[in-house]
Amino acid sequence: MKKVLVLGCAGSGKSTFSTRLGHLTGLSVIHLDSFYWKAGWIAATEEEWDQTIEELLNHDGYIMDGNYSRTLDKRLIDADVVFFFDFPRLLCIYRAIKRRILNHGRTREDMAAGCKEKIDLEFLRWIWNFRSRSRGKILETLDQVKEQKQVIIFRTTKEVKEYLALMESTRGNACAGE
């Protein structure tokens, strides 16, 4: 495990998992949200984003957390392991609301400076529509690369906990199943 992608709906637990996996493996964690957003929730332009992705992919090893479907194919070429959090929408909405409450008035560690935690109807709609808008495309793409990449799909929190416990017991020396 050298170059890892972590995909899934907002609120699914990607960032928390990535951080924990980073501690276990020693790989640096790249939270794409912290590179895409600028202070005040200003999005990067396509040109800026493409350049940023190119620079990030040049790292020797990483855990890269975030969807950003327009650049997914490029990131998949580089990755050797992909985790996909395929969780129910209500769980993701609950976690996003909980995260908003717990981080009120603060900027999370996995976000860009000046992007204080917020939640609005547009974001809740984005979460609600993730399954119909993005899930199928992601699963199809992962199906196409599963012979070349290790693809792990989590459908429950229990599966995530079990995977991390296995990694902890092996101290991150090898990816489960290798």
Side-chain angles (χ1 to χ4, degrees):
M1 181 182 324
K2 185 176 176 186
K3 295 187 175 187
V4 179
L5 297 184
V6 182
L7 310 171
C9 185
S12 64
K14 297 182 306 295
S15 297
T16 301
F17 174 81
S18 296
T19 300
R20 289 197 54 205
L21 188 62
H23 288 300
L24 292 170
T25 62
L27 291 169
S28 63
V29 178
I30 298 170
H31 298 289
L32 290 179
D33 281 345
S34 69
F35 290 89
Y36 182 79
W37 296 105
K38 300 173 195 167
W41 292 96
I42 306 297
T45 65
E46 284 190 10
E47 183 179 295
E48 290 169 331
W49 187 235
D50 290 343
Q51 182 178 349
T52 297
I53 291 296
E54 288 295 329
E55 291 169 6
L56 293 172
L57 291 176
N58 284 327
H59 293 189
D60 288 335
Y62 54 74
I63 298 168
M64 191 176 288
D65 148 26
N67 293 310
Y68 298 95
S69 59
R70 192 176 65 75
T71 61
L72 179 57
D73 288 340
K74 184 178 288 191
R75 290 180 286 126
L76 271 173
I77 291 168
D78 209 42
D80 55 9
V81 180
V82 182
F83 295 94
F84 177 52
F85 283 62
D86 190 16
F87 285 5
R89 60 175 55 141
L90 288 177
L91 176 61
C92 294
I93 286 176
Y94 165 77
R95 287 180 171 176
I97 292 170
K98 179 181 173 185
R99 180 175 68 197
R100 165 60 177 92
I101 292 167
L102 292 175
N103 292 290
H104 177 73
R106 295 184 303 180
T107 300
R108 296 189 330 259
E109 290 180 18
D110 58 323
M111 288 301 301
C115 291
K116 290 185 179 179
E117 187 65 25
K118 69 174 189 163
I119 199 165
D120 56 24
L121 189 54
E122 180 182 352
F123 184 57
L124 291 174
R125 278 191 195 121
W126 191 93
I127 294 172
W128 185 262
N129 292 319
F130 179 84
R131 288 184 76 80
S132 60
R133 181 191 62 252
S134 303
R135 178 182 180 265
K137 292 177 196 171
I138 292 172
L139 288 172
E140 184 179 308
T141 301
L142 295 181
D143 191 52
Q144 292 171 3
V145 301
K146 69 182 179 188
E147 300 301 321
Q148 300 86 32
K149 317 285 180 187
Q150 183 176 20
V151 175
I152 300 169
I153 299 174
F154 294 127
R155 291 193 169 84
T156 67
T157 302
K158 181 182 178 188
E159 291 173 349
V160 175
K161 288 179 181 177
E162 288 172 351
Y163 183 87
L164 289 170
L166 178 61
M167 290 296 292
E168 176 96 30
S169 72
T170 61
R171 288 317 236 161
N173 294 329
C175 190
E178 290 186 335

